[in-house]
Amino acid sequence: MKDQLDFMTQSVTSGKMTRREFMGKTAALGISAAVAGSMFARAAEAAGPVKGGTLKLGSIGGGSTDSLDPAVAASQVPYHNLYQFGETLVNVTPKGGIENRVAESVEASADAKTWTFKIRKGVEFHNGKSVTAEDVMRTMERHSNDDSQSGALGIMRGIESMKTDGDNFIVELTTPNADLPYLMADYHLMIQPDGGFDNPAAGIGSGAYMLEADEPGVRHMWKKNPNYWDDTRGHVDEVEIVVINDATARMAALQSGQVHIANRVEPKVAGLLDRAPNLTVRNAAGPGHYVFIMHCDTAPFDNNELRLALKYAINREEMVDKVLRGYGSVGNDMPVNAAYPLFDDSIPQRPFDPAKAAEHYKKSGHDGSPITLRVSDVAFPGALDAAQLFQQSANAAGIPLELKREPGDGYWSEVWNAQPFCASYWGGRPVQDQMYSTAYLSTADWNDTRFKREDFDKLLFAARGELDEAKRKALYSQMGMMVRDEGGLICPMFNDFIEATSSKVQGWVVDSTGDTMAGKWSHKCWLA
Amino acid sequence: MHPVVKLVSQRLALGLILLIAASVLIFVGTLILPGDVAQSILGQSATPEALANLREELGLNEPAVLRYFDWLFGALQGDLGTALTNGQDIATSIGRRLGNTLFLAFWAAVISVPLAIFLGLLAVRYRDRWPDKLISAVTLASISIPEFLIGYLLIYFVAVQLGWFSSVAMINDSMSLLEKLNAIALPVAVLTLVVLAHMMRMTRAAILNVMQSAYIETAELKGLSTFKVIARHAFPNAIAPIVNVVMLNLAYLVVGVVVIEVVFVYPGMGQYLVDHVSKRDVPVVQACGLIFAAVYIVLNMIADIVAILSNPRLRHPK
């Protein structure tokens, strides 16, 4: 029987046997479907990419209001659409490095203030025009000019001037930034012809797939770009993104074989799905975190003793167990974790300590009136449950926490960044500098904890210009400790990205930098 | 003027007034929602500059009254404008979505209306005997279970376990009629179950009501069969209330199926409206609201007109 099996797996590896045949023959040998499925997957993986087929993603986060304009993409479906037709200067690799895409090389001046991106030759837009340094500069202009509505506006702010020189696109920064390539990998910054000034939502870029059908809120069809420059990517002929916002419907579509990949699997069903013979749950520890945020400048949270009391009063392990069902890790009241390069893992973990919480609460001199925590399930999946757990553990420490359930509709405009204490989430950023600059710098637009500290800002700028990695790491460690001990962030947990795929999907890579292989599922996966 | 014509034209005028009143209500409703369209488009990633730029571009700084009348006159000329959020032409998008919604509603109606009336007649024929009780029990059970649960149950057993129909009822232009019917089989089944009980019980009650009349007794004394008495003598006189409840359920099939659309991922009007409400896309919400209001008003009008026409006292005025 072993010989037969070896022969069959070889046939699969050399592409002579389909999944259906393989499953049929192994069943005849009395092998269970689950075992045969994983044998098939291993054999097919070893064979290397297979070309052709239609790869289908069932995705949350789409609506009939969606547009293909990269500037306004904010939820999952627009994000995945961008990665079909567009390409950025560079990508962040699954391990957190930088990989050149439209840029062929990236060079910094010694002070990290001037950056030169050499544009790759032979890269073509879908309209047949070659990608030039001029197109790159126009793209950056569109995302940084005064009329921009771009989600990337914040990260473009450190740019002093931009120019082109032949094939080179040159950026001059106001202050040194050793992490500029990471900023250029932002998904909003897809290179478009003439920067997308004329028709940003046309879906024309230099990516591996070209627009075939655009039905916002329903589905998006993409077909292979025959002139794509990189033949190691983009294996399937067609990519279909089906909008399925309802979690149960999304899982049913995956189980009944109507889509190959379903994103945003709820932790409570992930274990069950993984037991199904033809499905695989793919989870990756990421930089995303579920949080409770306090405004450091608003009473009663302007009192650091009270903030510490609340930080000690949360049971992090319990939350990871009960809200994330183990698909995540414990947070330490700072926005970074091991998913970041230069993370200092020697910073001690803050435990759940009711006695200490009570002590700090007493020291804070709070009058004993209930502290209101605003929460809604749109803040993060399971936010209500998490808040209730928090309420219980805080009450055990003698801190009267009161929950106010807010409507999901309008939560991001009326509650988050507006009310002094609420539940929220952060998707994380590729590097620590960007995470801190986005939400902890005194002048940051999204400083949702109102953490305004000059000494912290100074450390941030020093680290940004520091090219010596050891020194940078020490600076980031210092900053992390400041946020942990004095900031307004209560971070009980980091959530994994959880997706599920059918066993036909091969070439999956664990990528901790973003949702669904950081958007690159269609670039790297193929269908067995 | 003939009283029937007078009543019908009065009814039509009332419909038009209702429609305009509805448009004002919808507009005010969209104004009092928390947050505005710019904030909702940009979501958590809104910076003050980006917000200000987007508000300026979308004309949100103009007074609300002015925006309302701009829109109303446009709509009267058949121009519904473009969606604020993604710049798509509203009339084109709605055309496709409305087509899908009507397609689903049509097939649900084709199955549920005759079935409900037939079951109603059957229940009257075997009143208080086991077929009546069985029909009542089954239809009442199906109307009492939340529709999403019926949907999920069907998806789990029929789509996932048995693999007979697809769980995603997504239809597009490249599909043949047969493929489309296959795709919508499950949502049609759920909708049928949901609207059946209401129509069936109304039919049963209306006919039973008529059955108390003296002329039914006469018909029975003439020796006509029970079924003939019901079908030929009782049913025509119970048409007005039956049409009323049928129209109400047809309206529900067009405007009330958003839960079914979510569960089965069906690209209809409900989903379209909800997406735009959550992004505060006022022109689209207005347009959808008006269409929904029009559907309700027209169907109710038809019910009233049928009731008027089926009333012999009006048809033959003294």
Side-chain angles (χ1 to χ4, degrees), chain A residues 43-346:
Chain A
E45 194 83 46
V50 176
K51 303 282 173 186
T54 302
L55 183 59
K56 295 179 187 176
L57 168 73
S59 178
I60 193 176
S64 35
T65 50
D66 288 343
S67 150
L68 294 176
D69 179 356
V72 297
S75 58
Q76 286 85 351
V77 170
Y79 168 83
H80 287 298
N81 277 327
L82 293 191
Y83 276 108
Q84 306 315 313
F85 75 83
E87 218 170 5
T88 46
L89 281 173
V90 293
N91 277 170
V92 179
T93 66
K95 292 203 170 66
I98 286 288
E99 179 190 18
N100 297 326
R101 301 306 296 171
V102 173
E104 190 178 54
S105 68
V106 182
E107 269 168 49
S109 62
D111 61 355
K113 268 182 93 165
T114 308
W115 287 81
T116 305
F117 296 86
K118 187 166 191 283
I119 305 308
R120 195 182 292 278
K121 279 200 166 55
V123 180
E124 231 177 56
F125 288 121
H126 301 159
N127 60 10
K129 203 181 145 293
S130 291
V131 179
T132 64
E134 194 67 25
D135 293 313
V136 175
M137 188 170 85
R138 293 284 282 165
T139 301
M140 300 307 160
E141 272 173 16
R142 193 170 87 85
H143 290 274
S144 60
N145 69 17
D146 292 337
D147 307 327
S148 171
Q149 309 144 12
S150 174
L153 192 58
I155 62 177
M156 302 297 282
R157 212 166 272 147
I159 294 178
E160 169 83 40
S161 67
M162 296 183 286
K163 62 176 183 199
T164 60
D165 174 21
D167 286 340
N168 293 328
F169 165 60
I170 301 161
V171 181
E172 193 86 41
L173 302 174
T174 46
T175 52
N177 189 348
D179 283 334
L180 185 76
Y182 287 93
L183 304 187
M184 289 293 157
D186 187 277
Y187 64 90
H188 296 98
L189 303 178
M190 295 294 171
I191 310 301
Q192 290 180 285
D194 195 35
F197 273 98
D198 41 355
N199 189 1
I204 290 180
S206 62
Y209 292 93
M210 298 157 74
L211 186 62
E212 202 177 336
D214 180 30
E215 296 172 36
V218 184
R219 62 180 200 134
H220 304 269
M221 287 290 294
W222 303 91
K223 60 172 188 287
K224 175 82 184 161
N225 170 9
N227 297 329
Y228 187 57
W229 61 275
D230 182 357
D231 57 14
T232 63
R233 284 199 182 185
H235 306 299
V236 293
D237 291 338
E238 279 184 320
V239 173
E240 181 171 11
I241 298 172
V242 185
V243 180
I244 312 180
N245 291 318
D246 182 67
T248 313
R250 201 161 60 249
M251 296 312 129
L254 178 70
Q255 283 172 286
S256 62
Q258 286 177 298
V259 297
H260 299 113
I261 308 172
N263 63 11
R264 196 62 79 78
V265 175
E266 294 180 334
K268 62 185 175 210
V269 300
L272 294 171
L273 275 183
D274 207 23
R275 269 190 255 153
N278 54 346
L279 299 180
T280 312
V281 169
R282 321 268 189 171
N283 58 314
H289 41 296
Y290 294 166
V291 297
F292 299 102
I293 48 181
M294 305 175 279
H295 284 182
C296 298
D297 62 355
T298 311
F301 309 105
D302 51 355
N303 180 337
N304 195 40
E305 290 298 330
L306 184 74
R307 295 203 295 268
L308 276 173
L310 287 166
K311 288 174 183 175
Y312 278 110
I314 195 163
N315 190 337
R316 296 172 176 75
E317 268 90 12
E318 188 185 32
M319 279 198 194
V320 172
D321 281 353
K322 292 186 178 160
V323 177
L324 298 178
R325 310 279 168 134
Y327 288 95
S329 57
V330 169
N332 199 12
D333 300 335
M334 49 188 200
V336 295
N337 65 349
Y340 286 85
L342 305 182
F343 171 71
D344 179 8
D345 55 12
S346 66

Side-chain angles (χ1 to χ4, degrees), chain B residues 48-49 67 71 80 104 117 157 170 201 236 245 258 285 306:
Chain B
E49 289 96 326
R67 276 189 277 143
W71 175 82
L80 294 172
L104 185 63
I117 290 172
F157 289 107
M170 200 166 272
R201 291 187 71 77
V245 72
V258 66
V285 174
V306 169

